Amino acid sequence: VQLQASGGGLVETGGSLTLSCVASGPIVTLNDMGWYRQAPGMERELVAEITSAGRQNYADSVTGRHTISRDNAKKTVYLRMNSLKPEDTDVYYCYADIIRSTTWGTITRRYWGQGTLVTVSS
């Protein structure tokens, strides 16, 4: 199983970006998906998450500005980021809680994407 994140880049204050993350591999069930952010030397912190049924949860710092969504058929989660601020600058990591098939049955674990850098200039 792999998660491939994309969509990061450089944007001016007030601008927008959309991050995407697609899961691939022997996936039986795709449960919760979401995005974390991480600054150098700091712990990852939750940005937004979405259940398989579409229920969303956001960090207070992004509520009202960002929107998380998913396309279950495409095994993809999105993060639309609006009204970006310099303090949104970070590496963003997607995750997915996945039940995958193996030779001996199924296993459940959290998978992470490789990270995509978002830089907001002032």
Side-chain angles (χ1 to χ4, degrees), residues 10-107:
L10 175 64
V11 64
E12 294 183 347
T13 296
S16 298
L17 281 176
T18 298
L19 306 183
S20 301
C21 177
V22 58
S24 61
I27 297 170
V28 175
T29 303
L30 199 56
N31 290 324
D32 294 355
M33 303 181 79
W35 295 88
Y36 277 68
R37 57 186 291 181
Q38 186 174 28
M42 303 294 287
E43 291 188 359
R44 289 184 187 180
E45 58 180 35
L46 177 69
V47 177
E49 58 190 356
I50 185 168
T51 69
S52 57
R55 189 165 60 249
Q56 303 157 32
N57 181 48
Y58 296 93
D60 290 343
S61 60
V62 306
T63 298
R65 296 191 298 126
H66 298 357
T67 301
I68 190 169
S69 61
R70 62 190 284 168
D71 184 328
N72 291 328
K74 294 182 178 180
K75 299 184 177 65
T76 302
V77 62
Y78 305 95
L79 184 66
R80 174 65 176 179
M81 302 187 294
N82 296 319
S83 303
L84 282 162
K85 308 173 183 179
E87 50 264 44
D88 292 318
T89 296
D90 250 335
V91 178
Y92 286 71
Y93 295 89
C94 62
Y95 79 86
D97 294 332
I98 291 173
I99 301 175
R100 59 163 288 189
S101 60
T102 72
T103 303
W104 306 278
T106 60
I107 60 173

